[in-house]
Amino acid sequence: MDISLGGITGANVYTRWLGRALSWGEKYSTFMILVTLIVIFSLLSPHFMTTTNVRNIVIRVSIMLVVAVGMTLVLISGGIDLSVGSVAVMSSMIVGTILKDHGISAAPIAILAALGAGALVGLTNGLFIGLFGVPPFIMTMAMMMIARSLAEFIQRGVVPDVPVEFSRFFMTNIAGTVPPLVVIAAVVALAGHLVLSYTVFGANARGVGANASAAKFCAIPVLRYRLALYITSGMLAGLAGIMVVGRTNSANPGALKNFELEVIVGPIIGGVSFLGGRGTMVGTIIGVLIIGIIGNALNLLGIEPYWQMVTQGAIILAAVFLDYARHRKQ
Amino acid sequence: MSNTPAARDRQPILSVSGISKNFGGIQALSDVNLTLYDKEVLALLGDNGAGKSTLVKIISGAYARDRGEVFVEGERVKNGSVQDSKRAGIKMIYQDLALFGVLDVTSNLFMGEQIARWGIINKRAMRERAREILGVLRTTVKSLNQEVRTLSGGQQHSVAIGRGVYVGTRAKIIIMDEPTAGLGIEESAKVLELLKEIRHQVAVILISHNLDHVFEVADRAVVLRSGAVAGEVQIAGATASEIPSRKNEIVSLMLGAV
């Protein structure tokens, strides 16, 4: 435990104003980065601010955001979930295969099966981490490999011929503006925000992440929280898989490469800490938008794939450094 | 049983009888009896390994006892259940304070015991109560939104003690494990001040190695040696001239040189 001595007393007006300006700057820094990126990319490419491209970004970000909401809860509780990308792919293969074989009338069953599979992976993660003390990084990395293999086991290759009604449901604009896919993400993010900031569950989950043994002394059932959070993360990854099928009208066992990294880096950029306890859902939304916009712009500007990888690596480094700097500050 | 004149006719708030505990063949406690009266500060003393920590962990429910019973106001407390001990009004303040360093003051005070309805927390009520609690403990912080790790040692103790005494189920017995260990003079004085403040509300079991601190705040001292009660020394009411001899008595009991 850090113990620092005494607070600053007798700070004069100027230092107080400076302090306020700095804390304001920190509070809104990621938002300023987001705005700056939008301005820069708009200037660099005439295609960036077009309706089609903005729609593309929003849809892509929606799928990421759904998973990032679960990731934020897991990170804040002191864990990490590397299995989400593979779970999303597995879920999309389940949905795609069921729909292809049984038609659109099987959609409810397909959706339930995909969510159930996600929940099952989450339960497994939570049990091994919470009950047997396997480090979250190791456990969920193992699940990442297992779930990816299961996705390929379900169907070797791409499932192209998913009934078109399925994607029509997800992608047809409501009131001529936003498709249901985006509405789903907005609802999930709002729910995540409310749970994290206004409920006993959210407050206690934060406690588990900030100091798990102290949480036990406060009579918080830590294992139950871990289970609930990893199950939530798994189910939201499952939901993202369903949304992927809804967007592309197909399922591909090789899809969503590096997806888990994007949905971890997004929240971290938004102020969620690898060390647990800290972060907000609003920060996560901004962070995921930044990641989504950069990814889109790099494609739009015709940057070669290996330079895109370098950029993504640099962003991960920057995010980790930012987390470290924030934590060290005091 | 206590021979304190003031305590003789009172009903004990906590009574511990015949507690024994074995750790893999090593007898950590054997047949320990202890009585604590309301609004009394009882110092629990003993050399390292005498069984102080084991005993308070059994009382707080963190450890299960092999034999014996714990009663709060005559009601039996379940064996080895932190929840049940808490419900009975026994609260422990850990040596490392068990705080949440990266969370703010209010979150720390109410962790696990938020003011809430249907699972929705009432932040405003919690902040108001937090201000009251810090006021009672005469502690000022720059802001309730401050991360607890940025507070001074004394302020951190206030948060931990405030949480134990004033939040959640009403505390009847507060156990403090070495609250002044590792603190500077000023910070120790603050903690002792806090202790004097809360003793109007609750009974306190204080584990300490510092006899000066013990004589400043405690009414009685019980000395453990090799897992058994070696003796008891009256502290409250001792005159200045009696203090040195009573300190000697305590040290003799601790070392077994009687």
Side-chain angles (χ1 to χ4, degrees), chain A residues 1-8 197-201 203-204 206-208 210-221 276-278 326-330, chain B residues 82-83 86 94 96-103 107-108 110-114 116 119-121 123 142 146-153 155-156 163 183 187:
Chain A
M1 174 162 308
D2 309 34
I3 292 178
S4 66
L5 281 174
I8 304 159
S197 297
Y198 299 100
T199 67
V200 170
F201 182 86
N204 286 348
R206 219 180 258 283
V208 170
N211 187 346
S213 59
K216 271 182 203 151
F217 296 145
C218 292
I220 295 171
R278 290 168 159 169
R326 280 188 187 120
H327 197 79
R328 284 284 304 177
K329 205 185 61 172
Q330 278 131 346
Chain B
V82 177
Q83 265 93 334
K86 241 185 173 179
Y94 291 85
D96 70 356
L97 302 182
L99 292 174
F100 303 85
V102 299
L103 304 188
S107 305
N108 268 273
F110 293 96
M111 187 55 72
E113 314 245 28
Q114 294 85 354
I120 313 289
I121 54 181
K123 284 189 183 177
K142 263 191 286 179
Q146 223 178 323
E147 288 189 357
V148 154
R149 71 194 180 110
T150 66
L151 299 176
S152 72
Q155 290 170 322
Q156 294 188 357
R163 180 177 70 189
L183 291 185
E187 308 268 286

Side-chain angles (χ1 to χ4, degrees), chain A residues 36-294:
Chain A
T36 312
L37 285 175
I38 291 173
V39 172
I40 290 174
F41 292 142
S42 308
L43 293 175
L44 285 178
S45 167
H47 306 295
F48 183 74
M49 267 309 206
T50 57
T51 322
T52 323
N53 193 50
V54 169
R55 187 182 148 97
N56 276 341
I57 292 175
V58 170
I59 285 168
R60 199 180 129 65
V61 164
S62 293
I63 293 173
M64 283 165 64
L65 184 59
V66 164
V67 185
V69 166
M71 187 67 72
T72 301
L73 294 172
V74 168
L75 285 167
I76 281 177
S77 74
I80 194 165
D81 191 351
L82 292 170
S83 68
V84 287
S86 300
V87 170
V89 170
M90 184 179 79
S91 145
S92 70
M93 295 304 290
I94 291 171
V95 172
T97 309
I98 292 178
L99 287 179
K100 187 192 65 151
D101 292 350
H102 301 282
I104 191 66
S105 60
I109 292 163
I111 288 171
L112 282 178
L115 293 177
L120 211 61
V121 172
L123 176 69
T124 315
N125 282 333
L127 276 177
F128 275 83
I129 292 162
L131 205 56
F132 307 128
V134 179
F137 190 89
I138 306 292
M139 181 59 213
T140 58
M141 186 155 66
M143 271 330 260
M144 169 175 96
M145 295 170 181
I146 292 169
R148 181 69 73 165
S149 310
L150 285 175
E152 281 167 10
F153 175 78
I154 292 167
Q155 192 87 37
R156 272 284 151 173
V158 180
V159 185
D161 30 17
V162 175
V164 72
E165 294 92 329
F166 193 72
S167 90
R168 211 174 277 152
F169 168 78
F170 280 95
M171 296 298 281
T172 307
N173 283 352
I174 298 173
T177 45
V178 277
L181 200 81
V182 178
V183 176
I184 291 171
V187 168
V188 168
L190 180 66
H193 172 66
L194 294 177
V195 166
L196 184 59
S197 297
Y198 299 100
T199 67
V200 170
F201 182 86
N204 286 348
R206 219 180 258 283
V208 170
N211 187 346
S213 59
K216 271 182 203 151
F217 296 145
C218 292
I220 295 171
V222 172
L223 172 63
R224 244 185 283 165
Y225 272 82
R226 294 235 156 95
L227 289 177
L229 292 164
Y230 281 102
I231 288 173
T232 304
S233 176
M235 284 182 80
L236 289 175
L239 176 58
I242 296 166
M243 292 162 80
V244 167
V245 178
R247 177 197 182 189
T248 59
N249 216 29
S250 64
N252 179 359
L256 298 178
K257 288 267 154 64
N258 291 336
F259 185 69
E260 53 279 330
L261 294 182
E262 290 179 332
V263 296
I264 290 168
V265 171
I268 298 291
I269 286 178
V272 178
S273 173
F274 271 123
L275 301 163
R278 290 168 159 169
T280 63
M281 225 33 104
V282 177
T284 288
I285 294 168
I286 294 171
V288 170
L289 274 168
I290 289 175
I291 294 292
I293 283 174
I294 291 176

